[in-house]
Amino acid sequence: MSTQQADVTRPVPALFAAIDIGGTKIAGGLVDANGTVLRQVQRPTPAAEAGDIVLKAVYEVVEQLAVDPRWGQVRGLGIGSAGPVDIARGMVSPVNIPGWRDFPLVRSVTAHPAVTGLPTVLGGDGVAMTAAEHWRGAARGHANALCLVVSTGVGAGLVLNGAVHPGPSGNAGHLGHISVDLDGAPCACGSRGCLEGLASGTAITRRALENGWRPRGTGTSTVAVAASARDGDPIALAAFDRAAQALAAGIAATAALVEIEVAVVGGGVAKAGDVLFAPLKRHLTAYAVLPLVSGVTVTPARLGPDAGLVGAAALALGAADLTPSPPHR
């Protein structure tokens, strides 16, 4: 066989662009059909600024991705955003980004020259994380699961009957804004006593500070509170315990409603490890008592900081009508 005959052009592998928008950072990535993140960039979220400033940060992430020589292989763009979202209209109203209220995110992003003409799919960040963990992570193999992102806020998504269930608007399973404290503090969403106001990293740090906790260094982040809790600080431990109790109540309520098998917990707060998971499992035994909910297990997410990007890519891959590849073993 001649060299010329052997030189058969191989198909160019499809890639997917992904954007993960949260209250703290905006991440972007190029992801292949196996769910592997090939490139990742990020910018801080200017959450307190006007909407056009936040959009500019998204554009900067897009532009960093678009200069990659593999950009021409991109078949679609998936966006996972803090919610609520409206996937039917391509709009978002993130509680933690007040400059975006009924913001036309899909229309705005696809107006960027690098994205124009590229199929673009929007999903909530909790739904994106759920898609990732069901595809490649801790929810894989489970027909019914709840996946939570506990970070600056609390997002979540559902797997029902073996498939991610976003709901008509894309907000199904938005556990962060169910009320778990009937007389609780007002929430930025307009309700009161929301799970997010008790269990988010912001809430944990606030509660610790209000009760007299002081860090050993200069930082007052949830990471610092977790470090104090691991050292046995009673105020820090109490702040995590309260957050764990609220999460347990929400998980048990979800289990009673749709009979989930597993609750997967990811996000920055989950990095605290046993400081969060030990009281969470203890409280869950007190709330999940009925036989239909008592078998629910709680497990840490597996994909870590890549979950949002892998999930956003999974949304785009699904819209491209391609079958996700199984994870590498």
Side-chain angles (χ1 to χ4, degrees):
M1 182 181 296
S2 70
T3 303
Q4 187 174 11
Q5 288 175 319
D7 187 17
V8 177
T9 302
R10 296 181 179 179
V12 177
L15 300 182
F16 295 88
I19 298 176
D20 178 25
I21 301 171
T24 303
K25 65 178 176 65
I26 299 168
L30 296 180
V31 184
D32 68 16
N34 295 307
T36 302
V37 179
L38 303 178
R39 183 177 182 188
Q40 183 172 165
V41 299
Q42 70 177 49
R43 286 282 185 273
T45 303
E49 303 293 337
D52 60 338
I53 302 299
V54 183
L55 179 62
K56 182 182 177 182
V58 175
Y59 279 175
E60 289 172 354
V61 168
V62 169
E63 288 159 5
Q64 277 198 292
L65 293 177
V67 297
D68 190 289
R70 296 166 291 189
W71 183 256
Q73 297 169 229
V74 172
R75 295 276 297 276
L77 168 65
I79 305 174
S81 173
V85 302
D86 184 336
I87 59 175
R89 298 191 297 153
M91 304 182 83
V92 299
S93 300
V95 172
N96 295 324
I97 306 177
W100 278 3
R101 290 293 175 268
D102 287 329
F103 186 79
L105 182 59
V106 171
R107 188 181 73 201
S108 300
V109 171
T110 55
H112 191 286
V115 181
T116 299
L118 198 63
T120 300
V121 181
L122 172 66
D125 57 354
V127 171
M129 180 265 196
T130 301
E133 289 292 333
H134 190 233
W135 178 16
R136 292 199 57 190
R140 184 175 178 234
H142 290 280
N144 299 285
L146 171 70
C147 298
L148 299 99
V149 184
V150 187
S151 188
T152 308
V154 177
L158 289 166
V159 175
L160 299 179
N161 298 320
V164 176
H165 179 74
S169 70
N171 296 289
H174 200 356
L175 199 67
H177 293 285
I178 67 166
S179 295
V180 293
D181 184 355
L182 297 182
D183 300 311
C187 178
C189 76
S191 185
R192 64 186 309 123
C194 287
L195 177 62
E196 180 169 294
L198 294 168
S200 68
T202 306
I204 291 169
T205 303
R206 181 179 64 246
R207 186 178 184 85
L209 289 169
E210 288 174 350
N211 284 282
W213 171 78
R214 294 295 179 267
R216 287 168 298 181
T218 57
T220 57
S221 67
T222 312
V223 174
V225 181
S228 292
R230 280 190 287 271
D231 288 342
D233 184 295
I235 298 174
L237 284 167
F240 269 93
D241 186 81
R242 179 61 169 168
Q245 184 181 10
L247 287 170
I251 291 168
T254 304
L257 190 65
V258 295
E259 296 191 61
I260 58 170
E261 306 155 24
V262 63
V264 176
V265 184
V269 174
K271 294 178 182 178
D274 283 346
V275 167
L276 174 70
F277 283 96
L280 173 54
K281 292 175 182 178
R282 184 180 73 249
H283 285 299
L284 188 59
T285 62
Y287 286 104
V289 178
L290 290 172
L292 77 158
V293 299
S294 60
V296 174
T297 59
V298 174
T299 186
R302 291 181 186 167
L303 299 183
D306 288 346
L309 294 177
V310 173
L315 298 177
L317 190 153
D321 199 26
L322 296 176
T323 301
S325 300
H328 293 304
R329 294 186 181 277

